[in-house]
Amino acid sequence: MILIEQKIKITDLHHLDGLERDTIVLDWEERRKPRQRLTTKKGTEIALALPTGTILKDGDILYIDDHCYITVEEAKEDVIVFSPEDMEEGAAIAYEIGNRHLPISIEKGTIVTPRNLQMLEFLGKRAIRYQLRKESFEPTRKGHSHA
C-alpha cells in the first residue's frame, strides 16, 4: 500500500512523459475526505493521509515513481440541473435546496445539486423545469453553518 501525505505539484507536465498513468475516481464527497483507503483503476492500494481541509481536484497528482503516476479523476455523478428563467425562480430553487441542506453549485446561469429523492418528490409537485444528468459535481464553497 502506498501512503500519500500530500499532493504533488508539478509545473512541467513533460516530467510525466513515458510514465504509466493510473487514476482514482472520486465523487464530490470523497474528494473532501483527507483520510481514506482507496484502490486505483489498475488495482494499486493507496492510503490518503492528507492535511485536514484538503480538497482534491480533477487532475491532482498524488504519487510519482520511476514507472507510473497516480492522478485524481472526478466521478460522473447523478445530478439535477436547473436553468431558471428568472431570478425569482432561481431564488426559489436555491431556497429549496438549502432548506434540505443539500450541496449546491451555481454558475453560468445553472443551479446543480446531486440527485436526491426529497428534491425529486418536491419537483414532482411543482412546475419547475429540470434535467437529470450524469456529470462531475463540485459544490460552491461559500456558505453558512448553523454551528
Side-chain angles (χ1 to χ4, degrees):
M1 180 172 298
I2 299 171
L3 177 63
I4 297 170
E5 297 179 299
Q6 63 184 2
K7 298 188 282 186
I8 297 172
K9 296 178 183 174
I10 294 182
T11 54
D12 185 3
L13 295 179
H14 292 293
H15 288 99
L16 304 177
D17 290 347
L19 298 179
E20 187 175 343
R21 181 179 189 263
D22 199 356
T23 58
I24 55 168
V25 180
L26 304 173
D27 66 26
W28 75 271
E29 290 177 295
E30 293 168 326
R31 291 193 310 272
R32 285 160 172 67
K33 292 180 184 174
R35 289 177 180 30
Q36 57 182 315
R37 289 180 184 226
L38 302 161
T39 303
T40 67
K41 281 186 174 181
K42 295 186 178 180
T44 302
E45 292 185 1
I46 63 173
L48 295 183
L50 300 168
T52 301
T54 300
I55 298 175
L56 296 173
K57 297 176 189 70
D58 195 57
D60 280 347
I61 297 170
L62 302 178
Y63 176 79
I64 298 177
D65 66 18
D66 293 337
H67 308 289
C68 72
Y69 66 100
I70 299 173
T71 186
V72 174
E73 181 181 318
E74 292 180 353
K76 302 296 184 211
E77 305 180 59
D78 293 319
V79 295
I80 305 171
V81 180
F82 303 92
S83 297
E85 291 189 20
D86 55 34
M87 192 183 305
E88 183 177 317
E89 184 180 49
I93 293 166
Y95 172 82
E96 293 298 335
I97 292 170
N99 199 40
R100 289 165 175 75
H101 297 267
L102 300 173
I104 189 170
S105 174
I106 303 172
E107 71 178 62
K108 297 179 185 170
T110 64
I111 300 172
V112 182
T113 191
R115 186 174 173 165
N116 175 282
L117 183 59
Q118 290 177 326
M119 205 59 206
L120 291 174
E121 287 174 355
F122 165 76
L123 292 169
K125 299 174 187 174
R126 303 290 191 279
I128 298 173
R129 293 181 304 141
Y130 65 93
Q131 294 179 322
L132 297 177
R133 293 189 198 160
K134 196 161 194 86
E135 60 189 38
S136 60
F137 177 74
E138 182 61 37
T140 303
R141 294 195 187 140
K142 295 178 184 175
H144 169 73
S145 172
H146 292 281

